[in-house]
């Protein structure tokens, strides 16, 4: 089943995100290599593809896991969590309807 991992950043998270980014991307690449990643990306803090120093307000990952507990455990182990970049992380079941 798919699960949505919805993360909200702490204010001014960019300096916390940058050092943790390579490890964060490595975990997402592993999900992609396993064919389990539907989509992933950050929410720019401003209405811009490249927010520059404004940084990001959070992230969204939608991926397949065996259970909600497995998805939560994966989310809890995110390098951005360890770096203190995320203020809140919500994990919810996600039912894909479109695209088919």
């Amino acid at each position: 089943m798919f699960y949505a991992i919805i993360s909200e950043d702490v204010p001014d998270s960019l300096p916390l995100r940058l050092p943790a980014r390579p490890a964060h991307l490595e975990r997402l690449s592993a999900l992609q290599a396993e064919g389990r990643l539907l989509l992933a990306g950050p929410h720019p803090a401003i209405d811009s593809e490249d927010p520059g120093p404004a940084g990001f307000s959070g992230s969204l990952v939608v991926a397949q896991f065996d259970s909600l507990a497995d998805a939560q455990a994966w989310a809890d182990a995110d390098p951005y969590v360890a770096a203190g970049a995320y203020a809140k992380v919500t994990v919810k079941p996600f039912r894909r309807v479109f695209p088919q």
Side-chain angles (χ1 to χ4, degrees):
M1 176 166 199
F2 284 107
Y3 293 87
I5 301 169
I6 306 147
S7 306
E8 298 175 30
D9 282 24
V10 298
D12 302 315
S13 64
L14 194 57
L16 300 170
R17 277 176 165 261
L18 291 176
R21 188 170 190 264
H24 173 78
L25 294 178
E26 185 177 317
R27 296 176 80 233
L28 292 169
S29 292
L31 283 179
Q32 184 176 24
E34 295 167 6
R36 297 171 42 205
L37 183 64
L38 182 61
L39 64 91
H43 301 286
I46 59 173
D47 188 13
S48 174
E49 183 74 22
D50 180 4
F56 302 93
S57 64
S59 299
L60 172 64
V61 174
V62 180
Q64 287 181 320
F65 293 93
D66 290 334
S67 68
L68 179 59
D70 287 347
Q72 185 69 59
W74 189 90
D76 290 345
D78 193 295
Y80 286 165
V81 170
Y86 288 157
K88 179 181 177 184
V89 178
T90 303
V91 181
K92 299 178 177 186
F94 179 83
R95 185 170 158 243
R96 180 180 175 172
V97 176
F98 290 103
Q100 296 180 359

